[in-house]
Amino acid sequence: MRLRAAGAALLLAACNDSTTPPGPPIDLLKTAGDAQSWYFDNPLPTPLSVMVTDPSGDPVPGVVVTWTVTSGATSGGVNPAQSTTNASGIATTTDSIGSLTTHQTVSATFTGLAGPATFNEFATAPPTSAGVTVGNNFFNPADTVVQAAGTVTWTWNPGGVTHTITFTSGPAPLPAETVQGTGTKDITFNAVGTYGYHCTIHANMSGTVTVVH
Ligand SMILES: [Cu+2]
């Protein structure tokens, strides 16, 4: 009696086994990175990512996915050109768009797939300068992008309310703190990366500067 119960439990465990081998890869779905707008010759912020599935829609690991720039390939491109799906059936690559290519298409496929997936990506020239309004109590825009060696100008709203531009993160050395209540402040950024800053006087008054190539 006891033995039979143990046998039944074992059989149940086998039926619930989630490690059943997947079927053959049959489909490929975009999971991240489509339709981004960024800047020439800078890696898109989100890697391109696909999931390979079997006929029941379960992910298939170990499938080699080939990434190809199919239009707009003057420079830049995908890296790596091939990647293998992980345990979750996901394969990724990074992509950048070369100068003067405003619209790039990238296909993702694997051997035997009937219809590749297509990613559409967009780029423009990075701004060489940018402006931020210092309001009461906000930075507008809160998130700013500028090309390396470019200058960001913060302009205080009339009214004489003191605010600070205090950098808390980003490539070292961080710019010195600014404390003023009127006029403008220019800061030139040379190192590529994202800087975080805030006003130490007013909670929730914060912003970022992203410096691109
Ligand atoms: Cu403030």
Side-chain angles (χ1 to χ4, degrees):
M1 204 60 183
R2 225 184 229 167
L3 254 174
R4 193 182 289 172
L10 209 74
L11 198 71
L12 260 173
C15 287
N16 290 338
D17 190 352
S18 62
T19 60
T20 308
I26 197 165
D27 202 4
L28 178 150
L29 308 161
K30 289 182 277 189
T31 49
D34 196 15
Q36 297 181 76
S37 295
W38 199 232
Y39 301 100
F40 296 146
D41 297 313
N42 283 276
L44 295 171
T46 304
L48 313 195
S49 165
V50 294
M51 179 190 282
V52 174
T53 58
D54 70 6
S56 13
D58 292 328
V60 186
V63 178
V64 175
V65 172
T66 299
W67 305 88
T68 309
V69 176
T70 44
S71 76
T74 53
S75 61
V78 290
N79 183 26
Q82 289 193 316
S83 53
T84 304
T85 56
N86 64 15
S88 308
I90 302 282
T92 63
T93 192
T94 61
D95 183 30
S96 67
I97 301 174
S99 303
L100 308 180
T101 302
T102 54
H103 177 197
Q104 182 199 62
T105 57
V106 175
S107 77
T109 191
F110 58 83
T111 303
L113 178 67
T118 298
F119 290 76
N120 287 277
E121 310 295 356
F122 304 88
T124 55
T128 53
S129 65
V132 177
T133 296
V134 182
N136 303 327
N137 293 319
F138 56 87
F139 296 106
N140 184 37
D143 302 312
T144 302
V145 175
V146 72
Q147 191 167 27
T151 297
V152 178
T153 301
W154 281 263
T155 302
W156 269 250
N157 267 342
V161 178
T162 298
H163 298 285
T164 79
I165 301 170
T166 308
F167 287 87
T168 52
S169 61
L174 298 178
E177 182 176 57
T178 298
V179 182
Q180 62 189 57
T182 186
T184 62
K185 173 66 183 182
D186 287 346
I187 300 177
T188 298
F189 292 87
N190 293 307
V192 169
T194 297
Y195 297 77
Y197 68 93
H198 70 284
C199 170
T200 56
I201 301 166
H202 303 106
N204 302 322
M205 187 174 171
S206 63
T208 64
V209 176
T210 297
V211 181
V212 299
H213 294 287

